Amino acid sequence: MPRFNEEQTELLEKHFQEYGNHMSEKHYRTLLISKFEKSRTVEEPRLFMEVGKWLANRRAKEEGRPRAKRKAQWQLDILEQSFADEAYPIPQEYMRLMSLTSLTRKVVQTWFINRRKTCLERGGVIHSAIGGEAYANNDLHESQKLWREWDANEEELSEYYVAEYLAGRGEESRMACMREGESHMWTS
């Protein structure tokens, strides 16, 4: 990750103070990159990404939110296994994954979107046994109804999905996962 030099950091901070949250991220990045032209140290697409990261972290700091964190390997393993089975999960699968990984709905959905994009960019084939068709055939009302039920009973449904997952793994697998850092799932 390239570090911004002192001049660039001052410029980022100055414009953040001036524009704050009043400018869209895309416009903010474009403005700053045009100002970086003279002192550009990395190629533009990478700079665009780095300015975006800086801006997201600065806004999070301003709002008192924690910085984005990387997913743990055990979370990625669960997401990858689900992706291998179905690239377009149905709402119940999203709920199950949210329960097992302790990630939010937005994080899980974004992970799947990015994973499908990466797969296609690398020339892969996206596997969809039921999800894509299920969404096409499932009316929006039914999906919204499931998410409302989740919102109303998240703790109970989450416990159900975790218990179901544990029942399929067995004691030996449970102990291995505890050693790998999934111990939050085993509290009873």
Side-chain angles (χ1 to χ4, degrees):
M1 179 172 165
R3 304 272 182 232
F4 295 112
N5 64 34
E6 193 173 316
E7 178 185 344
Q8 291 170 329
T9 304
E10 286 176 16
L11 183 64
L12 286 166
E13 191 61 42
K14 174 187 170 208
H15 283 281
F16 182 80
Q17 294 300 324
E18 187 175 337
Y19 299 110
N21 290 324
H22 306 294
M23 184 183 283
S24 78
E25 191 169 317
K26 184 175 182 180
H27 286 94
Y28 187 84
R29 288 187 202 188
T30 305
L31 170 74
L32 288 170
I33 288 171
S34 68
K35 303 237 182 230
F36 279 179
E37 284 300 311
K38 299 172 205 155
S39 61
R40 191 165 64 173
T41 57
V42 290
E43 53 196 67
E44 190 170 315
R46 174 89 186 232
L47 181 60
F48 193 78
M49 183 177 74
E50 294 304 326
V51 169
K53 285 181 186 178
W54 183 91
L55 179 60
N57 288 330
R58 184 62 179 84
R59 283 183 173 160
K61 182 179 177 183
E62 188 77 13
E63 296 167 6
R65 291 183 286 119
R67 289 181 53 193
K69 297 178 184 172
R70 288 184 181 263
K71 291 162 202 62
Q73 187 59 49
W74 64 268
Q75 291 171 316
L76 291 172
D77 292 343
I78 291 171
L79 292 169
E80 285 290 348
Q81 179 58 50
S82 179
F83 183 82
D85 294 340
E86 178 57 60
Y88 293 91
I90 59 176
Q92 293 90 330
E93 179 63 5
Y94 278 119
M95 293 170 195
R96 186 183 81 83
L97 293 169
M98 291 163 50
S99 300
L100 296 177
T101 61
S102 301
L103 298 172
T104 65
R105 176 181 175 184
K106 183 177 179 180
V107 170
V108 173
Q109 287 176 330
T110 302
W111 184 89
F112 270 89
I113 290 167
N114 292 338
R115 183 64 179 84
R116 288 189 297 264
K117 182 180 175 187
T118 301
C119 185
L120 290 174
E121 286 172 352
R122 293 181 181 170
V125 177
I126 300 226
H127 172 70
S128 179
I130 57 167
E133 291 177 25
Y135 274 129
N137 297 330
N138 189 6
D139 69 59
L140 182 61
H141 177 72
E142 185 63 29
S143 180
Q144 289 173 336
K145 186 174 143 186
L146 287 168
W147 284 112
R148 278 194 302 272
E149 182 182 342
W150 171 265
D151 291 339
N153 304 303
E154 182 176 351
E155 191 172 319
E156 182 181 319
L157 289 170
S158 185
E159 287 175 8
Y160 166 78
Y161 285 122
V162 170
E164 183 181 82
Y165 179 74
L166 296 179
R169 292 188 69 165
E171 185 64 26
E172 185 177 311
S173 183
R174 173 183 175 201
M175 297 309 289
C177 289
M178 287 179 75
R179 287 189 298 272
E180 293 172 14
E182 295 182 46
S183 59
H184 79 282
M185 292 173 52
W186 317 108
T187 56
S188 355

